[in-house]
Amino acid sequence: MFNWLENADRLEGSKEEVLSSFTFLPYLIVLIMWIIDFEASGLSRQSYPIEVGLCSETVEYQALIKPMPHWSYWSDDAESIHNISQSKLESEGIDPTTVAYSLNRILSGQIVYCDALLWDRFWCNALFSDTGIHQEFELRDIQELIGGSENHLRAFINEREKLEDSDKFTVHRALDDAKIIRKALEVALAGRHE
């Protein structure tokens, strides 16, 4: 069977031009797309990651992150949104070093998308830099996938709101938020919205 991805350079035009001409490309992107989401101790420069969730078409990972000794900032407002208490993190959280190694093991060499790049990158950097582990994957904004298309953006927002309003997910928990983002992107990129 001819592998289009591996052999696109043999076809006329650049690999990007060739691939973009195929109508299955949105489905291919969705198939290989990784989404990550973090919950945090608050929205502050002193905040830190308390939960991470990521998903692809076939893989899911979620971890509560036990705070490091110097991670002390806590927002009661943030806790009222994600409903993760400090005591729960202390009793059920996983050592940040273990979480960082797990993320690298799963995502090494991958591009991973998030919906709030500024904050997600900040908390991801806190996790990796504070544990002294080199991050082996790249974070990017989902806007790169949506592009400048108003139709895709509108479809994404509509589908996301519909999923958040359903009883299928716990909003503001990292894995469920990642799943919502992924499913909404899937609909938006495929043009299957109502």
Side-chain angles (χ1 to χ4, degrees):
M1 180 173 177
F2 186 77
N3 185 319
W4 290 101
L5 287 176
E6 290 179 8
N7 295 290
D9 57 334
R10 293 184 191 171
L11 303 172
E12 195 170 312
S14 72
K15 193 171 189 175
E16 290 76 20
E17 289 170 334
V18 171
L19 290 174
S20 68
S21 68
F22 293 112
T23 57
F24 68 81
L25 191 57
Y27 301 102
L28 178 63
I29 290 169
V30 167
L31 207 63
I32 60 175
M33 177 175 57
W34 285 96
I35 302 295
I36 194 167
D37 187 68
F38 286 92
E39 297 301 323
S41 64
L43 293 177
S44 162
R45 288 185 162 197
Q46 292 80 39
S47 65
Y48 52 89
I50 64 168
E51 184 181 44
V52 62
L54 71 99
C55 64
S56 70
E57 180 70 19
T58 58
V59 177
E60 294 179 357
Y61 174 81
Q62 179 174 334
L64 288 173
I65 304 168
K66 187 173 193 150
M68 298 182 83
H70 66 281
W71 289 355
S72 60
Y73 174 83
W74 190 260
S75 165
D76 292 331
D77 290 338
E79 181 178 343
S80 71
I81 293 170
H82 54 57
N83 292 312
I84 302 169
S85 68
Q86 289 177 295
S87 61
K88 183 176 181 120
L89 292 174
E90 285 298 329
S91 64
E92 298 176 30
I94 297 171
D95 179 78
T97 301
T98 302
V99 175
Y101 279 128
S102 295
L103 290 174
N104 274 346
R105 182 180 46 78
I106 296 166
L107 298 171
S108 182
Q110 299 295 314
I111 294 172
V112 185
Y113 293 94
C114 57
D115 69 338
L117 184 60
L118 179 70
W119 284 112
D120 288 320
R121 181 181 286 153
F122 176 80
W123 295 314
C124 194
N125 285 343
L127 175 66
F128 280 90
S129 66
D130 289 4
T131 57
I133 299 169
H134 174 73
Q135 180 182 321
E136 297 176 4
F137 55 93
E138 181 182 347
L139 285 183
R140 291 196 184 167
D141 197 304
I142 61 169
Q143 287 288 41
E144 290 184 26
L145 297 174
I146 294 171
S149 168
E150 285 295 319
N151 289 338
H152 286 157
L153 179 59
R154 191 172 24 263
F156 172 78
I157 291 169
N158 291 341
E159 186 64 20
R160 182 179 185 155
E161 288 174 353
K162 189 184 333 178
L163 292 167
E164 288 175 344
D165 291 341
S166 75
D167 291 330
K168 298 177 185 175
F169 302 96
T170 303
V171 179
H172 299 298
R173 290 303 301 263
L175 179 58
D176 276 359
D177 283 356
K179 288 180 187 179
I180 288 169
I181 294 164
R182 191 172 199 295
K183 289 178 182 298
L185 278 171
E186 197 174 305
V187 169
L189 294 176
R192 293 184 282 132
H193 59 283
E194 297 174 22

